[in-house]
Amino acid sequence: MAERTRLRARAGYRRARKLRRERRGVVAVVGTLLSLLVFFALFGIFLTQYVPLWMDENEAQLSNGLITSLATLKAGVDQQYLIGDFPSYQVPFTVSSQSVPLFAQPTVATLSYLSGCTGGFGSGGAPAEIGACTWASLSWTTGATTKGGQNHPFVQTATTNYLAVTVPNRYYTPETYYFLGDAILGSQGAGREWMVAPPLFNLTKTAGNVTFQTSMLLLLGNASSFTGIGSKVVTSHLLSHTRYTSYGHFTTAPPSGSTGIGASKPFNISMTLGVYDLCGWYNYLYNETHEALGATGWSLTMAGASGPVATPLTFADCIASIGATFTITLTVSAVNYAVAFIAEDQIGFNAGGL
């Protein structure tokens, strides 16, 4: 009897020990699952919150760096044709952003130097394909057609290349920048277009006298494009630069018996630009001219791929203008004095990268 009791006690001990082992195993599995859940939760937060924020900062730095490089290039080109001290100028462009190791690849921008017009010009002086042509024209005339009505009118018309930087950001806003017409402009896919760095343009009216100052920068060279990791050096070579003034172009007859020249008479200036970023250019020219002259004495007209554009521009006009060039013509009447800087500059990419 005693022996049987001892056997039952041993069996109960074995069953209790077995239950304790099973409980320890369940606790271990539950603890592992909870640890995995915590890990995946933190990992998901890292992927959905921290990585996009990190890459957003990287792409913002890329865009800001490209704007700085474009501004540096423009400043160097301006000094070249205004002063003429150094014929060559080099600026490095970093075209790739930083990455998040193992989680996000770097964003790579495209640096393109493209030809201005492919279809040539028609008999009227305008390009054959207005919606796909970057060009410039500047003229000073009195508007008179009679003999002696104007002494020496000034007319310059030429096509120009342009430098485009396309930044296909995935986290930051995708952007495109243009170096065209001695100005830097930016655009975004939603129709936002703005002037980043304005061209040499100064219009003033003092004591009834109107003074006009501008530049006509023609970019030349072979078309090329670069997309890759790292940097690319853009080189600018000054080919020619000339300063023109209106002094002596439009004068009255000299006084009887005088050996000098007559007094200057007012003349008209017409500046035509075939450009991208319609709204950026229009808003800049409109605001500058309106501030200097008020609502009279000038006009601003536009034509492009979708025909004439009404004034003032609407947001729909900005969206419709993306990807096409537009011709903008600014006409100022009764100008008393004008200065124009005409320059030719060759842009190219250095072989290799940094």
Side-chain angles (χ1 to χ4, degrees):
M1 187 68 180
E3 183 65 24
R4 185 179 300 173
T5 302
R6 285 194 299 271
L7 290 175
R8 288 177 180 173
R10 289 176 182 175
Y13 175 76
R14 286 196 298 270
R15 285 195 296 271
R17 185 170 59 182
K18 185 176 181 181
L19 287 175
R20 287 196 297 269
R21 290 177 179 175
E22 291 176 353
R23 289 170 182 167
R24 287 197 297 268
V26 170
V27 170
V29 171
V30 172
T32 302
L33 291 176
L34 290 175
S35 299
L36 289 175
L37 288 175
V38 172
F39 171 77
F40 283 120
L42 295 176
F43 187 71
I45 293 174
F46 177 78
L47 289 180
T48 59
Q49 300 294 327
Y50 188 69
V51 170
L53 180 62
W54 191 349
M55 284 302 300
D56 182 84
E57 293 178 353
N58 290 340
E59 291 180 342
Q61 291 177 0
L62 173 63
S63 296
N64 293 335
L66 289 170
I67 293 176
T68 300
S69 296
L70 283 170
T72 303
L73 177 64
K74 170 180 160 49
V77 171
D78 289 347
Q79 292 183 22
Q80 281 181 310
Y81 74 76
L82 290 174
I83 303 175
D85 285 344
F86 50 96
S88 296
Y89 194 79
Q90 293 183 333
V91 179
F93 282 71
T94 300
V95 295
S96 60
S97 71
Q98 298 295 321
S99 64
V100 178
L102 301 179
F103 297 104
Q105 295 296 319
T107 299
V108 179
T110 299
L111 190 65
S112 304
Y113 185 61
L114 303 173
S115 299
C117 297
T118 57
F121 283 78
S123 58
E129 298 179 9
I130 294 179
C133 185
T134 52
W135 61 293
S137 178
L138 183 65
S139 65
W140 305 343
T141 62
T142 61
T145 58
T146 58
K147 184 178 180 180
Q150 51 188 354
N151 303 94
H152 303 288
F154 170 83
V155 179
Q156 292 281 343
T157 301
T159 62
T160 177
N161 296 348
Y162 63 96
L163 184 66
V165 181
T166 304
V167 192
N169 292 321
R170 296 164 292 168
Y171 303 89
Y172 196 66
T173 306
E175 296 174 325
T176 302
Y177 300 102
Y178 297 97
F179 177 39
L180 170 63
D182 197 25
I184 301 172
L185 293 103
S187 68
Q188 296 175 347
R192 181 169 178 258
E193 301 172 348
W194 69 98
M195 180 72 68
V196 178
L200 176 62
F201 179 83
N202 187 30
L203 185 61
T204 58
K205 185 176 183 180
T206 305
N209 293 321
V210 177
T211 301
F212 190 99
Q213 184 181 36
T214 189
S215 64
M216 184 174 170
L217 176 63
L218 306 176
L219 300 180
L220 308 176
N222 297 325
S224 56
S225 179
F226 176 78
T227 302
I229 304 296
S231 301
K232 196 68 175 178
V233 174
V234 177
T235 302
S236 165
H237 294 285
L238 180 65
L239 301 179
S240 65
H241 64 106
T242 307
R243 179 179 180 270
Y244 293 93
T245 70
S246 61
Y247 180 75
H249 277 260
F250 311 101
T251 58
T252 60
S256 178
S258 173
T259 58
I261 62 174
S264 297
K265 56 185 176 180
F267 56 95
N268 303 326
I269 288 183
S270 180
M271 183 176 70
T272 302
L273 302 171
V275 295
Y276 287 97
D277 275 15
L278 168 65
C279 292
W281 277 103
Y282 174 83
N283 292 336
Y284 172 76
L285 292 175
Y286 180 89
N287 292 333
E288 291 291 318
T289 308
H290 191 274
E291 181 178 355
L293 303 181
T296 59
W298 62 280
S299 65
L300 185 60
T301 59
M302 291 159 289
S306 60
V309 180
T311 303
L313 295 179
T314 64
F315 185 71
D317 296 322
C318 298
I319 296 177
S321 69
I322 296 176
T325 62
F326 280 73
T327 295
I328 303 175
T329 301
L330 173 65
T331 302
V332 181
S333 304
V335 178
N336 302 100
Y337 181 74
V339 179
F341 295 89
I342 312 297
E344 293 182 340
D345 204 276
Q346 180 175 328
I347 300 293
F349 298 163
N350 285 3
L354 296 178

